[in-house]
Amino acid sequence: AFAPMPTDLCRVSPFFPMSTNDMAKRDYIEDMPITTSSWGGITYTGPRLSTYEEDVLLAVLALLNKAENKHVTMLDGVPTYTYRGPLRPVLKMMGYDKTGSHDYKRILLALKRMQATSIEMQIKGRNSRGKSVVRKVIMNNMIPNAVWDDEEKELRVTINPYFYELYLKNAVTLIDMQTRSKLRSPVAKSLMRFVESHAGDLWQGHILTLATALNMDRDQPLYELRRVVRTAITSLIKAGALVVGSQVDGDIVTL
């Protein structure tokens, strides 16, 4: 199964590789730039999200990619897409074979956090003098609606319609959920998301550039950054997402 993730969110992401201690106490992010272009820009506001929340979002997107799970409704004249079904398929898509009540509560908490976000789109135009100005501001959260019916054991999750608007424009990256579900390192998952968003066969850059794209802590020593990235690269080579030859050589990363 493949999850259609907006490509912009693969390269500049509100999802962070976080330790258990970091996840217990999260800071608040305001107006984090996701992308800027001639037509406008996108910013993120909300709690710092972990790769676990990203796992949940990608699992729902992958399930929505299957026609039988997709329910279409209209929101302000724009089609929105809702997953309706049990929680178990979401967990299976995330790679969990054995699950319990703790896993169910954790997914609902992840959805709650993503509901507390804001994705803001600023659409530009030209005024009478030909100057570029913001004509329209659209604000929505990542998950506009989520309902858990304990009696029916049914989950209903509605995805931000902007995601599917990009999907129709082929402006998404298809994340291979089978491969991602086998990865246990949050950094390896972030690296896979970054790698799959690039169409070429080769990416090369400074390790600090990559660390920024993966939302890694840049304040840690360089030798620790190199170690963590090398470990993530090894995981992706074993998973088949990268080929042998991907490496960290000094401060230069080759993928």
Side-chain angles (χ1 to χ4, degrees), residues 1-4 57-66 69 93 177:
F2 292 88
L57 176 63
L58 289 172
V60 172
L61 287 171
L63 290 168
L64 280 172
N65 219 17
K66 297 182 176 182
N69 295 304
M93 191 67 71
M177 293 301 292

Side-chain angles (χ1 to χ4, degrees), residues 130-190:
K131 185 180 178 181
S132 177
V133 294
V134 175
R135 289 290 191 190
K136 195 174 185 180
V137 176
I138 303 171
M139 288 176 280
N140 208 333
N141 46 5
M142 204 172 281
I143 305 286
N145 189 52
V147 177
W148 168 247
D149 188 326
D150 195 60
E151 187 175 349
E152 298 292 332
K153 303 299 180 186
E154 182 187 68
L155 177 68
R156 297 193 294 275
V157 181
T158 302
I159 297 294
N160 187 326
Y162 158 71
F163 284 17
Y164 262 86
E165 185 178 327
L166 288 179
Y167 178 70
L168 295 173
K169 293 178 180 176
N170 293 321
V172 296
T173 293
L174 294 176
I175 305 293
D176 183 343
M177 293 301 292
Q178 185 174 6
T179 300
R180 182 183 168 98
S181 68
K182 295 175 183 176
L183 302 173
R184 290 292 168 256
S185 161
V187 174
K189 290 182 177 183
S190 297

Side-chain angles (χ1 to χ4, degrees), residues 232-253:
I233 287 173
T234 300
S235 297
L236 292 191
I237 290 173
K238 288 180 180 178
L242 288 174
V243 299
V244 174
S246 299
Q247 62 180 343
V248 179
D249 184 8
D251 292 338
I252 302 301
V253 182

Side-chain angles (χ1 to χ4, degrees), residues 39-54:
W39 61 262
I42 302 169
T43 59
Y44 169 85
T45 296
R48 186 180 295 267
L49 300 173
S50 72
T51 48
Y52 180 82
E53 278 82 44
E54 185 179 31

Side-chain angles (χ1 to χ4, degrees), residues 178-240:
Q178 185 174 6
T179 300
R180 182 183 168 98
S181 68
K182 295 175 183 176
L183 302 173
R184 290 292 168 256
S185 161
V187 174
K189 290 182 177 183
S190 297
L191 181 59
M192 179 183 165
R193 174 229 302 148
F194 177 78
V195 165
E196 293 203 342
S197 72
H198 289 80
D201 295 329
L202 174 71
W203 183 90
Q204 194 172 62
H206 198 280
I207 192 166
L208 290 178
T209 301
L210 182 64
T212 301
L214 303 187
N215 289 333
M216 297 176 67
D217 180 8
R218 288 184 40 151
D219 292 334
Q220 59 186 313
L222 269 175
Y223 68 81
E224 182 63 16
L225 278 176
R226 294 189 196 102
R227 184 192 69 79
V228 174
V229 172
R230 282 193 184 107
T231 302
I233 287 173
T234 300
S235 297
L236 292 191
I237 290 173
K238 288 180 180 178

Side-chain angles (χ1 to χ4, degrees), residues 22-128:
D22 291 334
M23 291 170 69
K25 187 177 181 181
R26 305 177 187 231
D27 56 352
Y28 187 82
I29 299 170
E30 190 153 353
D31 291 334
M32 172 185 176
I34 297 295
T35 185
T36 303
S37 67
S38 58
W39 61 262
I42 302 169
T43 59
Y44 169 85
T45 296
R48 186 180 295 267
L49 300 173
S50 72
T51 48
Y52 180 82
E53 278 82 44
E54 185 179 31
D55 281 341
V56 174
L57 176 63
L58 289 172
V60 172
L61 287 171
L63 290 168
L64 280 172
N65 219 17
K66 297 182 176 182
E68 65 267 23
N69 295 304
K70 190 183 299 182
H71 294 262
V72 185
T73 55
M74 300 298 288
L75 179 64
D76 295 331
V78 179
T80 61
Y81 298 85
T82 301
Y83 166 77
R84 292 184 64 177
L87 267 170
R88 175 72 177 156
V90 179
L91 285 161
K92 285 191 70 176
M93 191 67 71
M94 294 167 63
Y96 291 86
D97 292 324
K98 296 180 181 179
T99 59
S101 58
H102 169 75
D103 298 302
Y104 283 60
K105 290 177 182 177
R106 198 178 176 199
I107 280 189
L108 295 178
L109 182 57
L111 291 171
K112 181 179 179 179
R113 287 196 178 104
M114 285 188 283
Q115 245 191 330
T117 65
S118 173
I119 302 289
E120 179 180 310
M121 286 166 281
Q122 295 184 349
I123 301 171
K124 294 180 180 178
R126 299 281 176 182
N127 62 13
S128 58

